[in-house]
Amino acid sequence: PPGRKVLIVYAHQEPKSLNGSLKRVAVEELSKQGCSVTVSDLYAMQFEPRATRNDVVGCLYNSEEFDYGVETWEAYKRGSLSNDLIEEQKKVQEADLLIFQFPLYWFSMPAIMKGWMDRVLVQGFAHDFPNCYDSGLLKNKLALFSFTTGGSREMYAKGGISGDIRYLLWPMQHGIMHFCGVKVLAPHICFAPEYVSEEKRKEMLTAWAQRLKTLWKEEPINCSPEWYFK
């Protein structure tokens, strides 16, 4: 719907890749609907994945002993986080929907995207115990994980060698997004694009475009262990 804001956090080195195309399709399709779409292209931005002292501008809260969680929490409250973090937090704050687009690395997201999670979702901004899970500070937002795999759909079935793909989504969808109060839409998974025909890859893009047309009508998944482990 017009006026909705979407942030796509994108982690792939090559624009001509399937991930690059999936990102482009999302930008086109959502813009066509009248949404305003922002992309954080992490590799192009040379986004810093490491959580360090540099994330706090000026004096530390406790200069005797560095505690990243405490320091960034305090820095957030006094407005002295580094600029790149403030920028990303502003994008998250404004977004109704967060789309994470990436290739699966080692059953997880690429380091540069994990670093985005580590650094951007600061205490006080995204969560603040006991304000987590259903009362996380980013409630009223939606997230969607869209990713490609190396392994086939069969490998990621419940009885398959890699186990159910949903097991891998538990740390990402539940441990990060749901923890921050975000509601999660069903993931969009393109299995083993490297091993299929050009024709099949085109179908993958078409299917994504189709899904995006009715995305705003979708209900979030059931945010409980049952969805992942039943």
Side-chain angles (χ1 to χ4, degrees), residues 73-91:
W73 184 22
E74 291 297 331
Y76 175 73
K77 289 190 283 198
R78 61 171 195 266
S80 56
L81 286 171
S82 62
N83 274 339
D84 58 342
L85 293 193
I86 290 171
E87 279 302 292
E88 293 308 297
Q89 288 178 347
K90 219 180 280 160
K91 295 176 196 173

Side-chain angles (χ1 to χ4, degrees), residues 133-171:
Y133 291 117
D134 291 341
S135 58
L137 303 181
L138 302 181
K139 53 183 177 297
N140 308 327
K141 296 186 189 300
L142 293 168
L144 193 165
F145 286 81
S146 171
F147 59 97
T148 57
T149 67
S152 65
R153 187 185 292 271
E154 293 67 46
M155 289 169 79
Y156 284 109
K158 206 168 197 141
I161 184 121
S162 300
D164 194 327
I165 192 81
R166 291 181 174 201
Y167 302 157
L168 321 188
L169 289 162
W170 173 253

Side-chain angles (χ1 to χ4, degrees), residues 30-85:
L30 292 163
S31 302
K32 227 188 288 177
Q33 297 175 17
C35 300
S36 67
V37 185
T38 305
V39 177
S40 287
D41 181 341
L42 301 181
Y43 286 104
M45 292 155 70
Q46 301 195 346
F47 187 80
E48 168 61 82
R50 295 168 300 182
T52 68
R53 161 71 178 92
N54 298 338
D55 293 349
V56 178
V57 176
C59 297
L60 290 175
Y61 176 74
N62 174 4
S63 51
E64 296 300 297
E65 196 179 317
F66 186 72
D67 178 326
Y68 184 82
V70 169
E71 291 299 341
T72 49
W73 184 22
E74 291 297 331
Y76 175 73
K77 289 190 283 198
R78 61 171 195 266
S80 56
L81 286 171
S82 62
N83 274 339
D84 58 342
L85 293 193

Side-chain angles (χ1 to χ4, degrees), residues 187-200:
H188 199 84
I189 308 166
C190 292
F191 287 100
E194 280 173 84
Y195 305 105
V196 301
S197 64
E198 192 50 45
E199 200 41 52
K200 278 264 177 292

Side-chain angles (χ1 to χ4, degrees), residues 141-143 182-186 211 215-223 227:
K141 296 186 189 300
L142 293 168
V182 180
K183 291 183 178 58
V184 180
L185 295 173
R211 180 174 175 194
L215 195 69
W216 301 102
K217 296 193 174 79
E218 290 185 19
E219 284 300 313
I221 65 165
N222 154 22
C223 280
W227 188 87

